[in-house]
Amino acid sequence: MLRRLILGAAVCLSGEVLAKPPGPGGFCATYPSAPACIGQQPACTLCHTSPPQRNIYGASLEPHLAPGAARPLSDGDFSLALPAALRAVEAEDADGDGVSNLEEVQRGTLPADPSSRPVDTGGCGPGQNPQYDVCRYDARFAYRRVLLDFCGLSPTYAQLKAFAALGAEGQQALLDSEVDRCTTTEFWRGKNGQLWKLAHPKIRPVGSLKEGEDRGAIPLADYYDDYALYAYAQLDDHDAREVMTARYFVRRQTQPTRYTRVESLPSQSVEASRRAGNLTSAWSLISFVMFTALPRNAAAQSYRAYLGLDIAKQEGLHSIPGEPRDYDAKGVQAPACAACHATLDPLSYPFRNYNGIAGAASARYVPNRLELFFSDVSPTITQTPEAGYLFGRPVRDLREWAEVGADSDAFAISAVTDYWKLLVGHAPTAEENAEFVATWRRFKDTHGYSVQRMLHDVIRTEAYGAP
């Protein structure tokens, strides 16, 4: 539930159907310490089922938003009215779950969802568990989990007895050494191992289109290159951001699996000055750009895969004034489309010169691509700029798009969320928020985006080590 709330988007509350870009800032200015405002901004689902339809919490706010003022409200009037409207409904219980709207906001649950409510933790009932301390972090439980999660094997009885005989410092040292040992195994880093599983939704492989090893019926690109770069960026104290920013490629060798940085691969065609990690891999361009003039799908997939923001779910909306311009005449200025496309289209402009499927020019950066291949799409298609926006910030091209994204809180949150789901077993909950925030902040600010170091933090959390 917390993940649904913290993903950035517009809080769309006007009396008409229009999305309101100032909404997230107004909400977070009113509640700066709310979990939804730590590192990101609340999603549209905080107040909407699907814009413009409001959920019960959004509906309760509407009467307090500048009552009597003409609709639709301007962005300025909306920004001025929102804090008072939020405070006016703090004592109410919009979803009828017995918890006030204010408490739900402060504790990171959803005030419009009765199944999302704060849970008090830390209390223990009567009786004892002879195996584990079920109320707190138990290193014995964490030891069993570490071997299963990182090595794919249960500890033997002898291993458990030896671990239990150690003191607290010895147990923690062994946990750390087992993480380091297991992350060198095939189970963790090999083909279809744990890291590859994390990469699946980012790469979205299609076997019939696979080139190279495990060649498919219609070989178009080798997505094992994408897995190799992803795995390399996650391992051995490498910088995880380079999955988005690398100007190099990675070669995978087997028996045992090894990942080696290389400057070129015969399966990749984008020149170094135009590369942006897996955003510009042959597979990404073939699969997500394909035959399109304005590669909205490629931009949306990159935003979702590496920054954790799904525009289809109204996440990460940062509307740009004057957008969407609808250069390709797809009708995206219609009111039902514009709220999302005012963010999506400017995200897509930096992809304008990256070709998808185009014969000998496939999966390449082609200057004046739209002029050469798509001039007949619409009268204005060639006016599409290469400069765009990410998080409302101007970016010159896709290289800068990737760098701004990789340096963002959204990247750190998304990366740690991937491992939280893999190791803890679910997305961070409201009750786990303090540990989760501490973990992603250390990943970014202390560990220099080293996944290996971050994993040692995860196994120390109560979310991981408490039965």
Side-chain angles (χ1 to χ4, degrees):
M1 291 296 181
L2 179 66
R3 181 64 178 163
R4 288 168 53 194
L5 186 56
I6 67 173
L7 291 170
V11 182
C12 313
L13 293 172
S14 75
E16 295 292 327
V17 301
L18 302 180
K20 285 297 175 187
F27 180 88
C28 290
T30 307
Y31 305 116
S33 62
C37 297
I38 299 175
Q40 295 197 43
Q41 294 179 334
C44 273
T45 50
L46 178 64
C47 299
H48 289 266
T49 53
S50 178
Q53 291 79 23
R54 289 183 290 272
N55 61 32
I56 193 166
Y57 179 59
S60 72
L61 286 166
E62 164 58 21
H64 303 284
L65 278 165
R71 274 14 187 196
L73 297 176
S74 68
D75 286 354
D77 289 342
F78 175 84
S79 296
L80 291 172
L82 181 58
L86 290 166
R87 294 190 183 98
V89 300
E90 287 179 344
E92 298 177 12
D93 176 13
D95 55 9
D97 61 2
V99 182
S100 72
N101 296 334
L102 177 60
E103 185 174 355
E104 297 224 47
V105 167
Q106 291 174 332
R107 296 183 63 178
T109 54
L110 300 171
D113 183 354
S115 67
S116 171
R117 62 194 307 275
V119 176
D120 292 320
T121 59
C124 291
Q128 293 183 338
N129 185 307
Q131 296 296 320
Y132 300 120
D133 182 349
V134 297
C135 296
R136 287 165 287 274
Y137 184 94
D138 190 312
R140 296 166 300 171
F141 178 76
Y143 178 60
R144 181 184 291 275
R145 290 196 76 171
V146 162
L147 290 186
L148 282 169
D149 292 338
F150 291 87
C151 272
L153 299 170
S154 294
T156 65
Y157 178 75
Q159 286 176 307
L160 290 171
K161 293 292 287 184
F163 184 83
L166 297 172
E169 290 186 5
Q171 288 180 341
Q172 193 62 64
L174 183 56
L175 286 172
D176 286 332
S177 67
E178 291 290 58
V179 167
D180 290 337
R181 177 180 70 85
C182 291
T183 52
T184 67
T185 64
E186 293 300 302
F187 177 78
W188 187 261
R189 63 175 62 195
K191 179 181 178 181
N192 295 320
Q194 294 287 71
L195 290 182
W196 282 44
K197 291 177 183 177
L198 288 179
H200 287 337
K202 305 177 189 302
I203 296 168
R204 298 176 67 179
V206 180
S208 60
L209 305 182
K210 175 75 170 62
E211 179 62 277
E213 179 186 349
D214 301 322
R215 182 184 178 96
I218 311 172
L220 295 179
D222 189 355
Y223 47 72
Y224 285 176
D225 295 345
D226 301 59
Y227 284 97
L229 176 57
Y230 178 81
Y232 178 88
Q234 311 298 297
L235 293 167
D236 305 327
D237 276 340
H238 295 148
D239 188 331
R241 293 174 296 178
E242 292 184 357
V243 72
M244 292 184 69
T245 63
R247 297 194 183 196
Y248 58 84
F249 302 114
V250 174
R251 177 180 289 117
R252 175 177 61 96
Q253 299 165 288
T254 60
Q255 297 181 340
T257 296
R258 304 177 306 285
Y259 298 100
T260 306
R261 173 175 170 163
V262 296
E263 297 308 311
S264 63
L265 286 173
S267 51
Q268 301 293 329
S269 301
V270 175
E271 62 267 31
S273 64
R274 296 296 182 177
R275 294 176 195 159
N278 276 351
L279 277 62
T280 58
S281 72
W283 174 251
S284 290
L285 299 180
I286 290 291
S287 181
F288 304 128
V289 175
M290 296 190 76
F291 307 103
T292 57
L294 182 57
R296 294 184 179 95
N297 188 44
Q301 171 63 11
S302 299
Y303 205 44
R304 176 173 54 244
Y306 299 108
L307 303 178
L309 301 167
D310 191 337
I311 288 179
K313 297 178 180 178
Q314 297 92 48
E315 296 167 358
L317 299 186
H318 295 267
S319 298
I320 304 304
E323 294 288 351
R325 297 290 298 275
D326 199 14
Y327 291 109
D328 55 352
K330 296 297 184 182
V332 297
Q333 292 177 332
C337 306
C340 289
H341 280 272
T343 295
L344 176 57
D345 285 20
L347 281 179
S348 306
Y349 299 155
F351 290 81
R352 65 100 76 191
N353 285 330
Y354 289 86
N355 244 354
I357 300 174
S362 293
R364 296 176 182 271
Y365 180 88
V366 179
N368 300 317
R369 166 180 171 266
L370 297 182
E371 291 78 1
L372 291 171
F373 297 103
F374 297 96
S375 60
D376 60 344
V377 166
S378 77
T380 57
I381 188 62
T382 59
Q383 298 175 24
T384 306
E386 187 168 16
Y389 289 82
L390 180 65
F391 304 133
R393 170 179 167 177
V395 292
R396 293 185 305 274
D397 53 24
L398 190 55
R399 283 283 309 159
E400 187 174 10
W401 192 109
E403 290 164 359
V404 170
D407 288 340
S408 69
D409 287 348
F411 177 83
I413 290 169
S414 178
V416 175
T417 296
D418 287 341
Y419 285 95
W420 202 274
K421 290 178 178 178
L422 177 70
L423 300 172
V424 178
H426 54 253
T429 65
E431 295 71 39
E432 296 163 351
N433 185 58
E435 287 187 316
F436 173 70
V437 170
T439 301
W440 71 254
R441 282 181 166 167
R442 281 174 58 81
F443 171 62
K444 181 180 180 183
D445 300 329
T446 303
H447 298 320
Y449 297 92
S450 166
V451 167
Q452 192 72 21
R453 298 178 195 176
M454 178 266 289
L455 294 174
H456 290 278
D457 286 348
V458 173
I459 67 167
R460 285 170 164 78
T461 63
E462 186 171 285
Y464 185 80

